Amino acid sequence: MEPDFRRAMGWLHTWSGVVLGCILFAIFWMGTLSVFDIEIDQWMKPATRLPPAAQALPLESFRPSLNEAIAARAPFWNVELPNDRQSVASVHYRSKSGAVSHDIDPVSGHVLPDTGTLGASGFIFPFHYTLHIKLMNLGEWLVGLASMAMLVLCVSGVIIHRKIFAEFFTFRPRKQSRRLLLDLHNLSGVLGLPFHIILTFSGLTILGATFFPTGIKTLYPSPRGYFYEANSLSFLNTKPGQPGAPVVSLDETFKQANALWGGDRPETVLVFNPGKTTGRIAFFRSTEQQVVMNRDVVAFSSTTGELLSHPPAPRPIIRAQRFLSGLHFIHFHHWVLRWLYFVLGLGSCCMIATGYLFWQESRRARQAGTFGFRLVEGLSAGSITGIIIATLAFFISNRLLLPGAHILGVERAALEVWCFYLVWLATFLHGWFWPRGIWVSQSAAISILAALAAVLNWLTTGDHPLHTLSHRYLWPVGGMDLVLLAGSALALLTAIRLARRKQNATTAPRQPAGKTT
């Protein structure tokens, strides 16, 4: 216990950040990249870099893929239709051998070549909220614990920083390392404080069924009932049915949904229990023009085309939950706000990183060489610069691995993931066993790898920034390359500045014995 409340909050702020900062940085880093997950997918899947179609494909053009799902006895089949963020359509279903996904040419309707990658939507986005730890939902629980710590950090940070308004305008880049780190920490924390709180709270709300199941168990006989109501999926509550039933025309059923919506288009078409007597066809209305993830769904019998359900407006509590989900997922299409989320997400990463580094610099003179200090030093290196290096290695492996590549039975998509984790592990080991100059060397590595990723994209696809910026449908690819090059330049400047500071610190004359400053 500290002698006063403010010091107690300072202790809580410090140790919440030190203990869970490594997880928090990974969550916010991957969440920031997920703001542009579809655009990163286009960079990682060159076959999908196609101009949008002048006219939408008939839904029946996806019938061959649906027939494949029926033959594989898949429990569901769905197609995500093109929009202003992606020009291709994507079909998904699950067979006995695992998940199957195909990208569809928006003009011809043909299946595009499979690059063999999970991309950002298949790896980076799930990492953001599960850490890819599936055992007993341990990943989600760790994310929830770190999110609660983030709320604690926000509240305690406001309490311990009494001059919070003045700190908003205070930045002294030429001061000593500790002062510079603290200024950066305060500035990024104060500037993005509403963003930190709203995004963290909404994330906890989205995973509320995992973290707070008691209330759901009180109101619903099973968690599935809550899931159906929250997502307007009551039509899924049906028996398995008998196989061999036909699936009616997707276009004909869509005409009915289109009439109910007043002409709006769907973003997703789902066929549940395809080819069975209890099959369902559902159309999910596009919500790209609003913040609320409205989940307006129209469901039909897949065997007769009869309208089965068109849920009424949700209850206020469900609508509030969908509003928070919309804020978190940025499901709406607004490029200015999307870039604002990206910049504020990077600011969150900066706040976490500078807090970690300030803790080290304030204790280096007294604790350097101790086990605890070395442990935190290695954790901070791996969790800050290390995960950035690993992400860049993930992108580079995507450009270097040949289509269809496999090693020791490991397929190409898994090889990219293995590359990420092995490089990430190497950065932790680097921080633990060779801490001298760790920040200079890893910042230099970020600079080299980021530039290399952009150059490899040019060499392997021919889509250099000047070419991509001259074609509107290639802007996401050009934007990715420009962000990589900007990040490379920033990391290089950081490495140079850190090297100079280190050199100045080692060459500075020592004070004579008995003298003080």
Side-chain angles (χ1 to χ4, degrees), residues 227-249:
F227 177 77
Y228 286 161
E229 180 176 349
N231 295 280
S232 301
L233 299 176
S234 58
F235 63 89
L236 297 181
N237 190 16
T238 182
K239 297 179 180 180
Q242 299 298 319
V247 177
V248 299
S249 170

Side-chain angles (χ1 to χ4, degrees), residues 46-330:
T48 64
R49 303 176 188 180
L50 300 175
Q55 187 174 1
L57 283 171
L59 294 179
E60 277 300 303
S61 61
F62 302 107
R63 176 71 64 164
S65 175
L66 175 58
N67 291 336
E68 291 177 6
I70 295 173
R73 297 185 178 181
F76 71 90
W77 171 92
N78 73 285
V79 54
E80 297 174 6
L81 299 176
N83 54 48
D84 64 344
R85 292 184 64 197
Q86 61 178 8
S87 59
V88 300
S90 300
V91 297
H92 312 273
Y93 63 90
R94 183 174 296 279
S95 66
K96 293 181 179 179
S97 58
V100 179
S101 298
H102 296 301
D103 294 315
I104 306 297
D105 189 312
V107 176
S108 66
H110 296 154
V111 176
L112 296 172
D114 183 13
T115 307
T117 181
L118 294 177
S121 57
F123 177 71
I124 292 176
F125 174 63
F127 190 105
H128 166 61
Y129 64 93
T130 67
L131 306 178
H132 285 296
I133 303 175
K134 299 180 180 179
L135 179 64
M136 299 176 63
N137 286 338
L138 180 59
E140 291 186 10
W141 280 103
L142 287 174
V143 170
L145 178 63
S147 299
M148 291 298 296
M150 185 64 180
L151 292 179
V152 169
L153 288 168
C154 291
V155 175
S156 59
V158 171
I159 294 172
I160 63 178
H161 293 289
R162 290 176 294 186
K163 299 179 180 179
I164 192 169
F165 184 77
E167 289 169 347
F168 182 80
F169 299 97
T170 303
F171 179 55
R172 291 158 285 190
R174 298 188 181 279
K175 291 290 185 178
Q176 294 181 350
S177 299
R178 285 177 57 186
R179 185 72 260 175
L180 171 62
L181 290 170
L182 186 59
D183 283 349
L184 274 173
H185 182 70
N186 294 338
L187 181 62
S188 56
V190 174
L191 181 63
L193 184 62
F195 176 82
H196 307 323
I197 295 175
I198 291 173
L199 267 290
T200 304
F201 177 74
S202 60
L204 286 168
T205 303
I206 292 168
L207 297 178
T210 299
F211 305 142
F212 311 109
T214 304
I216 294 173
K217 290 179 180 179
T218 302
L219 297 175
Y220 296 89
S222 68
R224 182 174 295 182
Y226 163 76
F227 177 77
Y228 286 161
E229 180 176 349
N231 295 280
S232 301
L233 299 176
S234 58
F235 63 89
L236 297 181
N237 190 16
T238 182
K239 297 179 180 180
Q242 299 298 319
V247 177
V248 299
S249 170
L250 299 177
D251 289 306
E252 292 300 321
T253 48
F254 168 63
K255 289 180 181 179
Q256 301 180 54
N258 188 260
L260 291 172
W261 289 338
D264 282 358
R265 64 181 183 85
E267 64 179 8
T268 303
V269 181
L270 169 70
V271 181
F272 182 70
N273 282 344
K276 295 185 178 181
T277 53
T278 55
R280 302 287 186 262
I281 300 176
F283 298 91
F284 293 75
R285 192 176 190 174
S286 175
T287 57
E288 61 186 31
Q289 300 300 323
Q290 60 186 25
V291 176
V292 180
M293 295 182 66
N294 199 23
R295 294 292 185 184
D296 190 353
V297 185
V298 181
F300 303 86
S301 168
S302 66
T303 57
T304 65
E306 176 189 1
L307 176 64
L308 297 179
S309 68
H310 184 204
R315 292 184 293 179
I317 188 65
I318 296 296
R319 186 170 178 81
Q321 193 266 355
R322 292 179 181 177
F323 175 77
L324 291 173
S325 298
L327 275 179
H328 194 94
F329 287 120
I330 331 174

Side-chain angles (χ1 to χ4, degrees), residues 11-35:
W11 181 92
L12 180 63
H13 187 86
T14 297
W15 291 106
S16 295
V18 170
V19 173
L20 293 169
C22 56
I23 299 178
L24 276 173
F25 190 92
I27 294 170
F28 273 89
W29 170 250
M30 292 303 197
T32 301
L33 295 182
S34 297
V35 171

